[in-house]
């Protein structure tokens, strides 16, 4: 009979190496439920789940008691025990004796919440023990996993445990919830910007959304070449300039490439000029075909940008192909420091790695669903906004109206579900100029020459008018209205600004305290 695991059978012989458990608490809790299920279950059902039990059959009994009570029945021994007479979880044990032992372990109804907390505590300790034990086994077998892989395994395991630890948070009354909302509203009203979250760094977006909200996952989606990395970097930089400490993860670009973009924006140069050290604002030499080196004043402007950026509380993580668990580890370290953490920007979501379990045979939809859920949890756990960049499907580019929509989110409906806010970046000029660059506009069947000429003229006018313009589509917002707003885009320095913002002004203006 082995319905209760025998500690003596554990491969860890010493007491310090036994898997944590609290079998007496499990027996006492089940005994109380069998004595008075309707009174006792409401006292513990928000604390303990069937999987928290160490003894498998005890978890099965708890699940059955809860099912019976929730369906309006009474979970007494005469109604529960028959279902377990030949239950495989008993592994040959006598059901009558098992239930008699449970009834004999009952102490008192007032102690029920204490039993539940003890069971949950043992489960949490056991979960941590299992993760650490498996990590120890991996470390003892050199060559199977690298140290980085093992660390990733531990971080992922702890993240999974954290996902199950929020169930015991206290309930909040509606009146208290309204009071908290009023307090946040009053605090926002005292600030000059009037936003309730972390600033986007762009007034148009702040007006539309009241800022990036703490604890929320926000998605920024766009097709390739729209400038989503440029906008993500602009948001991170300008939010940091407002005094927010920002972690920017880039799975696509190296730190120096991001630095070149920010430096070019500050100095009003092309990013190619920063990379090559040569001028792209004037034509190349006709004879030699070479470009002039940057002028002294241009080098000085770049150095001014370097000094301005050095005061920003913005950290760049450019490790490729990391998991959310690894991102979480770095974010938690920043959050624990004195300056704290106010915003995480992830560029982009499909370049994050899924867990080991999902990497074995999972499709992209499942991986992205897990990653978006983990990012949502990270935002909630650290109480910071997480802005994740996402690439849209090709369908958006195939339509005549190429404005993105929610169904264009690539490979996973869970992205839309897990995000509190979804915005899209769209630059019509990119598509219009691409048609012109490919040659003549195709003539439609049965189209007259005059109609064709008029359509070509309209296309040329639209291409001119759309230059330097970008549209932000707020497609989903849990906290406010949807709609659109405009931004300016400088294709030369790949930098976004608010409409009406002087393109010669600093790329960011520091308003918060120095780092």
């Amino acid at each position: 009979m082995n319905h209760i695991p025998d500690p003596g059978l554990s491969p860890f012989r010493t007491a310090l190496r036994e898997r944590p458990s609290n079998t007496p608490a499990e027996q006492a809790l089940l005994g109380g439920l069998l004595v008075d299920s309707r009174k006792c279950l409401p006292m513990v059902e928000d604390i303990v789940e069937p999987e928290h039990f160490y003894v498998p059959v005890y978890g099965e009994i708890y699940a059955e008691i809860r099912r019976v009570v929730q369906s309006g029945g009474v979970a007494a021994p005469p109604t529960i025990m028959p279902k377990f007479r030949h239950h495989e979880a008993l592994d040959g044990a006598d059901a009558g004796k098992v239930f008699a032992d449970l009834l004999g372990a009952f102490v008192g109804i007032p102690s029920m919440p204490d039993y539940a907390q003890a069971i949950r505590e043992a489960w949490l300790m056991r979960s941590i023990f299992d993760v650490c034990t498996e990590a120890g086994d991996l470390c003892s077998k050199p060559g199977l996993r690298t140290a980085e892989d093992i660390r990733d395994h531990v971080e992922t395991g702890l993240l999974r445990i954290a996902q199950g630890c929020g169930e015991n948070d206290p309930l909040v009354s509606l009146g208290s919830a309204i009071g908290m909302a009023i307090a946040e509203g009053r605090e926002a009203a005292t600030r000059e910007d009037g936003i309730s979250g972390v600033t986007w760094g762009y007034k148009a977006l702040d007006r539309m959304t009241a800022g990036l909200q703490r604890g929320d996952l926000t998605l920024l989606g766009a097709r390739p070449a729209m400038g989503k990395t440029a906008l993500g970097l602009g948001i991170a930089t300008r939010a940091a300039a407002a005094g927010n400490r920002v972690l920017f993860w880039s799975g696509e670009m190296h730190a120096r490439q991001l630095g070149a973009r920010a430096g070019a924006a500050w100095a009003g140069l092309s990013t190619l000029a920063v990379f090559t050290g040569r001028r792209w604002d004037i034509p190349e030499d006709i004879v030699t075909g070479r470009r002039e080196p940057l002028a002294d004043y241009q080098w000085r402007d770049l150095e001014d940008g370097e000094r301005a950026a050095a005061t920003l509380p913005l950290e760049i993580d450019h490790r490729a192909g990391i998991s959310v668990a690894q991102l979480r580890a770095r974010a938690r370290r920043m959050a624990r420091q004195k300056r704290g953490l106010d915003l995480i920007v992830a560029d982009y979501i499909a370049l994050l790695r899924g867990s080991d379990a999902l990497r074995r045979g999972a499709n992209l939809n499942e991986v992205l669903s897990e990653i978006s859920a983990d990012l949502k949890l990270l935002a909630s756990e650290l109480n910071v906004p997480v802005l994740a960049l996402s690439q849209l499907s090709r369908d958006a580019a195939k339509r005549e109206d190429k404005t993105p929509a929610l169904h264009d989110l690539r490979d996973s409906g869970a992205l839309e579900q897990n995000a509190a806010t979804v915005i899209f970046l769209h630059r019509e000029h990119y598509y219009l100029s691409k048609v012109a660059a490919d040659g003549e506009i195709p003539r439609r069947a049965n189209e007259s020459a005059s109609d064709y000429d008029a359509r070509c003229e309209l296309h040329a006018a639209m291409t001119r008018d759309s230059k330097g313009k970008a549209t932000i589509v707020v497609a989903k917002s849990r906290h406010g209205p949807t709609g659109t707003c405009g931004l300016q885009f400088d294709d030369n320095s790949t930098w976004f600004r608010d409409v009406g913002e002087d393109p010669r002004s600093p790329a960011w203006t520091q308003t918060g305290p120095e780092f």
Side-chain angles (χ1 to χ4, degrees):
M1 180 176 72
N2 59 357
H3 61 283
I4 299 178
D6 182 359
L9 298 178
S10 170
F12 308 104
R13 299 293 180 179
T14 61
L16 290 177
R17 294 292 288 169
E18 292 178 3
R19 293 182 76 223
S21 64
N22 195 329
T23 303
E26 296 181 7
Q27 293 173 328
L29 181 134
L30 291 176
L33 290 172
L34 290 169
V35 169
D36 192 340
S37 58
R38 288 187 174 178
K39 185 173 183 179
C40 291
L41 185 63
M43 301 170 70
V44 301
E45 62 181 342
D46 288 339
I47 303 173
V48 68
E49 295 291 330
E51 59 267 25
H52 295 162
F53 286 78
Y54 178 66
V55 182
V57 72
Y58 290 170
E60 298 275 359
I61 293 172
Y62 176 75
E64 180 62 20
I65 291 172
R66 189 169 65 175
R67 186 193 68 77
V68 169
V69 174
Q70 290 176 348
S71 63
V74 177
T79 59
I80 299 296
M81 190 171 65
K83 300 179 184 296
F84 289 88
R85 286 199 186 279
H86 305 290
H87 200 287
E88 60 182 11
L90 286 174
D91 198 15
D94 180 67
K97 185 177 185 310
V98 171
F99 276 81
D101 290 343
L102 295 179
L103 289 168
F106 174 60
V107 176
I109 291 177
S111 301
M112 292 293 287
D114 295 332
Y115 300 149
Q117 292 288 0
I119 293 169
R120 187 182 182 87
E121 177 72 10
W123 162 78
L124 181 57
M125 294 289 287
R126 192 162 57 249
S127 301
I128 297 170
F129 177 92
D130 291 342
V131 170
C132 294
T133 299
E134 189 172 352
D137 291 343
L138 292 172
C139 289
S140 301
K141 299 174 183 177
L144 293 181
R145 296 279 190 93
T146 66
E148 290 282 339
D149 288 338
I150 296 171
R151 186 185 66 181
D152 186 18
H153 171 80
V154 173
E155 290 285 356
T156 301
L158 294 177
L159 180 61
R160 294 287 169 268
I161 294 169
Q163 285 178 321
C165 289
E167 302 160 356
N168 201 25
D169 289 343
L171 296 174
V172 179
S173 70
L174 178 59
S176 297
I178 294 176
M180 288 188 282
I182 291 173
E184 288 187 4
R186 289 187 183 278
E187 183 182 350
T190 61
R191 296 194 296 266
E192 291 184 5
D193 54 25
I195 64 174
S196 59
V198 174
T199 179
W200 291 84
Y202 295 94
K203 293 178 181 178
L205 274 166
D206 283 340
R207 285 194 294 266
M208 283 285 296
T209 64
L212 289 149
Q213 302 303 312
R214 294 185 179 275
D216 279 356
L217 170 62
T218 297
L219 284 182
L220 164 57
R223 285 291 299 149
M226 291 293 103
K228 63 178 179 295
T229 295
L231 182 55
L233 180 61
I235 291 166
T237 304
R238 289 179 165 217
N244 300 289
R245 194 178 188 203
V246 182
L247 171 60
F248 185 96
W249 173 74
S250 173
E252 195 168 35
M253 298 181 69
H254 195 275
R256 65 177 179 276
Q257 296 171 317
L258 296 168
R261 288 192 171 204
W266 183 272
L269 297 172
S270 164
T271 50
L272 285 173
V274 181
F275 281 128
T276 63
R278 295 186 176 274
R279 300 187 65 168
W280 287 72
D281 56 330
I282 57 176
E284 60 190 22
D285 187 273
I286 297 176
V287 178
T288 64
R290 295 179 180 175
R291 294 187 178 275
E292 289 186 21
L294 292 178
D296 288 344
Y297 78 89
Q298 292 172 316
W299 286 118
R300 285 195 298 271
D301 288 344
L302 282 172
E303 289 164 357
D304 287 344
E306 178 187 6
R307 284 189 290 272
T311 66
L312 298 180
L314 170 58
E315 305 288 343
I316 297 172
D317 181 353
H318 58 186
R319 295 173 296 169
I322 66 172
S323 64
V324 177
Q326 289 173 301
L327 179 64
R328 172 180 178 266
R330 184 153 287 182
R332 281 173 60 88
R333 283 194 291 273
M334 290 180 65
R336 285 195 298 265
Q337 294 170 4
K338 183 179 179 181
R339 181 62 185 81
L341 180 64
D342 300 298
L343 172 64
I344 300 171
V345 180
D347 181 22
Y348 64 98
I349 197 168
L351 295 179
L352 285 165
R353 265 195 358 238
S355 64
D356 286 343
L358 271 185
R359 284 206 297 271
R360 294 190 290 268
N363 59 42
L364 186 57
N365 188 300
E366 293 171 321
V367 173
L368 288 179
S369 296
E370 180 196 70
I371 289 171
S372 64
D374 286 349
L375 288 174
K376 179 181 178 182
L377 175 68
L378 177 60
S380 177
E381 179 188 357
L382 299 184
N383 193 33
V384 301
V386 173
L387 174 64
L389 279 55
S390 177
Q391 190 162 298
L392 301 182
S393 69
R394 292 186 179 91
D395 293 340
K398 294 176 183 177
R399 298 191 299 264
E400 185 171 350
D401 180 4
K402 295 175 173 55
T403 305
L406 286 172
H407 55 75
D408 294 320
L409 282 171
R410 191 172 186 174
D411 299 312
S412 178
L415 294 179
E416 176 190 345
Q417 179 182 341
N418 289 322
T421 304
V422 180
I423 70 169
F424 297 122
L425 169 62
H426 180 61
R427 291 195 300 115
E428 189 67 20
H429 179 76
Y430 171 81
Y431 294 107
L432 293 171
S433 58
K434 194 171 184 295
V435 171
D438 290 342
E440 289 188 3
I441 298 173
R443 190 167 177 173
R444 295 169 180 167
N446 302 321
E447 187 177 29
S448 68
S450 59
D451 287 346
Y452 174 70
D453 290 341
R455 188 161 60 84
C456 289
E457 289 177 11
L458 177 62
H459 186 278
M462 291 173 63
T463 303
R464 289 192 303 271
D465 292 344
S466 64
K467 184 175 177 59
K469 295 179 181 179
T471 302
I472 298 294
V473 180
V474 181
K476 175 186 177 182
S477 177
R478 258 179 215 156
H479 311 298
T482 57
T484 63
C485 62
L487 292 178
Q488 296 183 88
F489 179 68
D490 181 0
D491 201 22
N492 186 51
S493 61
T494 62
W495 198 254
F496 287 89
R497 295 176 182 272
D498 274 304
V499 173
E501 186 179 334
D502 189 344
R504 297 165 298 179
S505 64
W508 63 86
T509 303
Q510 185 159 327
T511 58
E514 289 192 3
F515 182 34

